[in-house]
Amino acid sequence: MKFSLKFIFLLPFLLIPFSLFSQVKDTILLNKILKELKLNENEIHMELVTDKILPNSTDKTFFIIPKYRTNEKDENGFYFYEFDAILIIADNKNGKILNRFYESNAWTSDAINLTSLSIDTGLYNLNKKTRAIGIRVNYSGSSRPNPYNQTDLSLFITENEKLKRILKDFPISEFHGEWDTNCSGEFEEVISNIDIGKTMNNGFYDLIIKSKTKKSQNILSNNDCTEKIKTYQSFKHLKFDGKKYQ
């Protein structure tokens, strides 16, 4: 088995311990927000809370706050979580909440682990005045014979005092497979990038999804593990219907 393939399988497990540390950079600002939300730290999963100063509006910070809905441990010591999603844009000076989004039971972490949440401030310029903010939700499976990783992207815009979701849980990367943990097996990886199109629908530019798919098959023959790879690209256009991209 090639080292690169083994590393792909091991990467999620290597990353998990680092998620035990909070990603929050401004704890003072977070405490002000939690006070306004009337939440205690023990009501949220601190290790997954993350924040980022908005590059196009540096006086504001975006927060992702996963609030416990279910927090249980089974007889084998494995945790089962269900989270409500709280997304906040706050004023850096006084902690005042300027925009917010709430979704009940937004994320689950069980056999498929929710390993991290991250804020994507890429150049999602949907028109001359509107720039979207992305959040990425990263999942990792715990089965070695059936490796699995996925990252979902959602896009939000500000609308009055709210954050409005205009793209929900689009799989921006996926990896899955089945193998004998020695050599033989089949795997598929899909990596997608989003470009802003030149045509508009309902006031927002179309999104062009460019995806690269890699399919590999490993075969053990005469104690030699050989890999056959096929790759292809695909394109998809998402149009804004006035409420969301689809």
Side-chain angles (χ1 to χ4, degrees):
M1 179 65 65
K2 296 183 179 179
F3 172 79
S4 59
L5 188 56
K6 285 184 176 179
F7 183 74
I8 289 174
F9 297 145
L10 289 172
L11 184 58
F13 303 100
L14 293 173
L15 290 176
I16 287 173
F18 292 95
S19 69
L20 297 177
F21 301 96
S22 176
Q23 305 175 74
V24 178
K25 302 176 183 68
D26 195 331
T27 55
I28 294 175
L29 185 58
L30 174 63
N31 288 333
K32 290 179 180 178
I33 292 170
L34 294 180
K35 184 177 181 180
E36 187 171 344
L37 293 172
K38 298 180 180 179
L39 288 175
N40 298 316
E41 283 192 12
N42 60 6
E43 296 179 87
I44 64 177
H45 194 54
M46 280 297 299
E47 292 81 8
L48 290 174
V49 177
T50 186
D51 65 338
K52 189 173 186 179
I53 294 175
L54 297 178
N56 58 322
S57 189
T58 55
D59 59 336
K60 302 172 185 176
T61 297
F62 192 102
F63 280 85
I64 305 175
I65 303 173
K67 179 181 178 292
Y68 289 122
R69 173 167 288 266
T70 304
N71 179 5
E72 298 177 348
K73 186 191 245 185
D74 65 20
E75 62 275 9
N76 297 315
F78 293 104
Y79 283 95
F80 171 69
Y81 298 117
E82 290 178 322
F83 299 110
D84 296 341
I86 302 175
L87 310 181
I88 297 293
I89 294 179
D91 186 296
N92 292 345
K93 291 183 179 179
N94 55 27
K96 180 181 179 181
I97 295 175
L98 304 173
N99 312 91
R100 70 177 75 193
F101 173 88
Y102 176 86
E103 183 180 21
S104 175
N105 203 16
W107 306 307
T108 299
S109 182
D110 46 25
I112 303 299
N113 301 304
L114 196 169
T115 55
S116 66
L117 302 167
S118 60
I119 300 164
D120 182 350
T121 53
L123 296 176
Y124 300 115
N125 294 314
L126 306 181
N127 59 32
K128 291 183 179 180
K129 296 182 179 180
T130 307
R131 177 171 170 174
I133 306 165
I135 69 164
R136 294 184 179 230
V137 184
N138 304 297
Y139 297 95
S140 177
S142 55
S143 170
R144 191 162 180 258
N146 299 96
Y148 173 86
N149 292 283
Q150 180 164 320
T151 298
D152 294 336
L153 173 70
S154 295
L155 294 178
F156 295 82
I157 60 172
T158 57
E159 188 176 80
N160 300 320
E161 295 180 354
K162 297 181 180 180
L163 280 163
K164 178 181 177 181
R165 182 170 55 199
I166 54 173
L167 179 67
K168 181 179 180 181
D169 296 338
F170 186 89
I172 208 74
S173 69
E174 302 172 82
F175 177 81
H176 60 89
E178 183 175 358
W179 69 316
D180 62 3
T181 71
N182 179 39
C183 171
S184 299
E186 296 183 353
F187 315 94
E188 180 174 288
E189 181 181 35
V190 183
I191 303 295
S192 299
N193 293 301
I194 296 181
D195 289 337
I196 305 299
K198 296 182 179 180
T199 57
M200 301 183 83
N201 280 278
N202 296 293
F204 285 172
Y205 287 114
D206 297 344
L207 301 180
I208 302 173
I209 313 297
K210 298 180 179 179
S211 300
K212 182 178 180 180
T213 300
K214 174 184 174 182
K215 292 187 176 183
S216 59
Q217 182 180 25
N218 292 347
I219 301 172
L220 184 63
S221 178
N222 297 323
N223 293 322
D224 185 23
C225 189
T226 60
E227 184 179 32
K228 297 180 180 179
I229 297 175
K230 293 182 179 179
T231 61
Y232 60 89
Q233 291 186 330
S234 61
F235 297 88
K236 183 177 183 179
H237 283 70
L238 299 181
K239 298 180 180 181
F240 187 66
D241 65 5
K243 294 183 178 180
K244 62 183 180 301
Y245 278 95
Q246 59 180 8

